């Protein structure tokens, strides 16, 4: 019985210390974590990301500067995983796990699939941790302007027209990355 109490105490102490020094697991996150998945036949795709809110802020050209690498979300680096080789906008992308970075611009975005895994999206100076030496693929996709703002940053898979897209939307901007 004493051993069980000691084990439970150690677990409780570990959770308390983790919550205090690493991440408060008991507090609601300002940019909640999310995972989106797509499965079709033997293809499995997964994106892990954090979803910041607009909160009446100017997003693109403001909070997210134009012409600079963005971690594509908040907190941890966004990851994209595929179990099969893909064509992304006509370019080959081998099966694997990638971090996903973007460079927002007025009319097009650069979307970067990077093979290095980063524990966080930015460094202590709030600069992206992205290392271009690990870029597996860079493509440009056009910006679509939306009629209604999207409050929370959203990544999704869209296969509604039998053409698969990885979409990203926030504020009044949406991009669609063609996948095959």
């Amino acid at each position: 019985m004493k051993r069980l109490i000691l084990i439970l105490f150690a677990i409780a102490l570990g959770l308390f210390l983790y919550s205090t020094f690493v991440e408060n697991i008991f507090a609601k996150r300002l940019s909640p974590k999310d995972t989106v998945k797509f499965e079709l036949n033997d293809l499995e795709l997964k994106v892990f990301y954090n979803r910041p809110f607009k909160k009446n802020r100017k997003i693109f050209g403001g909070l997210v500067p134009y012409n600079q690498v963005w971690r594509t979300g908040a907190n941890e680096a966004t990851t994209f995983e595929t179990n099969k080789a893909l064509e992304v906008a006509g370019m080959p992308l081998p099966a694997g796990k990638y971090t996903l970075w973007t460079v927002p611009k007025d009319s097009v975005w650069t979307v970067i699939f990077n093979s290095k895994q980063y524990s966080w999206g930015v460094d202590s100076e709030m600069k992206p941790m992205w290392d271009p030496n690990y870029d597996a693929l860079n493509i440009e996709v056009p910006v679509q302007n939306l009629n209604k703002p999207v409050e929370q940053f959203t990544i999704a898979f869209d296969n509604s027209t039998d053409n698969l897209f990885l979409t990203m939307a926030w504020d009044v901007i949406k991009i669609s990355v063609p996948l095959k």
Side-chain angles (χ1 to χ4, degrees):
M1 183 68 165
K2 286 182 182 180
R3 184 174 288 168
L4 178 62
I5 291 173
L6 283 174
I7 291 171
L8 291 175
F9 176 75
I11 291 170
L13 180 62
L15 286 172
F16 173 76
L17 291 173
Y18 181 85
S19 182
T20 301
F21 295 109
V22 178
E23 175 184 4
N24 187 348
I25 58 176
F26 304 108
K28 185 177 176 185
R29 289 176 65 114
L30 295 176
S31 298
K33 297 177 182 182
D34 200 358
T35 300
V36 293
K37 296 178 182 180
F38 177 82
E39 295 180 3
L40 181 64
N41 300 325
D42 58 348
L43 174 65
E44 296 174 8
L45 304 175
K46 181 168 72 170
V47 175
F48 165 81
Y49 71 116
N50 289 268
R51 302 186 62 202
F53 289 88
K54 180 173 168 39
K55 296 182 182 175
N56 295 318
R57 299 177 288 187
K58 180 180 180 178
I59 301 302
F60 299 107
L63 178 66
V64 178
Y66 284 127
N67 303 309
Q68 293 182 25
V69 173
W70 176 44
R71 65 178 149 185
T72 315
N75 305 329
E76 294 93 343
T78 295
T79 59
F80 175 91
E81 222 172 320
T82 176
N83 69 327
K84 299 281 184 187
L86 298 173
E87 277 188 22
V88 180
M91 303 289 292
L93 182 70
K97 185 174 183 179
Y98 300 90
T99 49
L100 196 58
W101 306 85
T102 50
V103 180
K105 302 172 193 160
D106 272 340
S107 59
V108 297
W109 279 23
T110 302
V111 179
I112 304 165
F113 292 83
N114 188 280
S115 62
K116 185 173 179 183
Q117 299 304 301
Y118 305 84
S119 58
W120 205 250
V122 293
D123 61 20
S124 59
E125 297 173 355
M126 297 304 288
K127 301 286 184 210
M129 295 183 82
W130 162 74
D131 182 345
N133 294 314
Y134 294 91
D135 286 357
L137 179 65
N138 291 15
I139 60 158
E140 288 197 345
V141 293
V143 168
Q144 303 165 31
N145 293 304
L146 303 173
N147 295 328
K148 183 178 170 188
V150 175
E151 175 62 27
Q152 190 176 16
F153 179 60
T154 302
I155 296 178
F157 291 104
D158 178 0
N159 194 33
S160 60
T161 61
D162 287 333
N163 293 308
L164 179 59
F165 293 93
L166 172 68
T167 63
M168 298 176 216
W170 198 18
D171 197 5
V172 292
I173 298 296
K174 177 181 175 182
I175 64 165
S176 298
V177 178
L179 305 174
K180 205 176 218 179

